[in-house]
Amino acid sequence: MKLNGKVAVVTGAASGMGKAIAELFAAEGAQVVVSDLNLEHASKVVEGIESKGGVAIAIAANVASEEDVQRLIDSTVSRFGTVDILVNNAGIMDNFVPAADITDALWDKVFAVNTTGPMRTIRKTLPIFTEKKAGVIVNIASAGGLFGSRAGAAYTASKHAVVGLTKNVGFQYATLGIRCNAIAPGAVETNIGATLTAVNPFGMERAQVGMGINPGLGKPEDIAKVALFLASDDSSFINGTTITADAGWTAY
Ligand code: NAD
């Protein structure tokens, strides 16, 4: 098992990619904190993990709230003693609103979850990582964090910022044995993915070019496998980078 005895916090883990990541990490021996806005769904994920002999707890937390993030990390440490792996997965879309139409409220809302959220969880977790000179951060960015046409202005900018945060944290804490990487998923079959297929059939068509996947949507498990790679020692020489996982969507 690749994560035996590790303590992993996964945000937005009640559905989609976060759920798949929590389940795979638990199957690989990690003690997993399944955190989400939605405690009921997070608890169901925990039940599923426990039914397979895994160890997990559910913690309700809004990553846009400083107080919630503090409680998330504090509760994790009181239950499991430490944090070894932080997966910043919670995210929201922006309804594909272009720059001319965006309101301050929508911009702030998207940034609060997608960008400030990861910054907050990283800020609260780094003291634990720096003290023990070890720790891994995996940020779920997006193909929209590398290219300009996959979403609206706020989502695109918020995910570009996540890629930048990943580079900066990876650089600044490398000498302390801490790695920080990101994944840029293409369109994946989740609640958010459903909104993409509705408005971006051109992108879906191009995704099929890559690996013959029809209708071009990846599975949450496809991303979970990349997250496992980045969270485990298999990627010990990888830091500050963003790995694209999109069946070739952005390569052609
Ligand atoms: P999803 O909607 O199935 O899951 C997102 C989860 O995050 C939900 O359980 C939701 O309750 C939770 N969440 C939302 N706001 C939160 C908050 N403020 N605090 C805590 N939890 C919150 O969608 P998904 O596709 O699995 O999304 C996971 C990540 O993947 C997101 O960061 C998203 O931007 C990114 N992403 C998705 C796609 C795609 O095609 N699905 C592509 C690229 C990137």
Side-chain angles (χ1 to χ4, degrees), residues 15-18 187-197 217-220 223:
S15 77
M17 295 180 213
V188 179
E189 207 175 317
T190 66
N191 295 332
I192 284 179
T195 65
L196 287 168
T197 35
L217 285 172
K219 301 272 182 223
I223 307 306

Side-chain angles (χ1 to χ4, degrees), residues 12 15 17 36 61-63 89 91 140-142 155 159 185-186 188 190 193 196:
S15 77
M17 295 180 213
D36 204 283
N62 177 359
V63 297
N89 168 78
I140 307 301
S142 172
Y155 184 89
K159 291 295 188 177
V188 179
T190 66
L196 287 168

Side-chain angles (χ1 to χ4, degrees), residues 205-226:
E205 208 175 283
R206 287 171 66 194
Q208 293 174 51
V209 173
M211 290 166 75
I213 293 169
N214 194 342
L217 285 172
K219 301 272 182 223
E221 293 74 20
D222 294 324
I223 307 306
K225 285 185 275 188
V226 186

Side-chain angles (χ1 to χ4, degrees), residues 47-73:
E47 277 171 33
I49 289 172
E50 287 175 338
S51 72
K52 291 180 179 152
V55 178
I57 57 168
I59 296 180
N62 177 359
V63 297
S65 155
E66 174 76 12
E67 210 184 330
D68 279 18
V69 169
Q70 182 71 61
R71 187 175 40 76
L72 169 62
I73 302 306

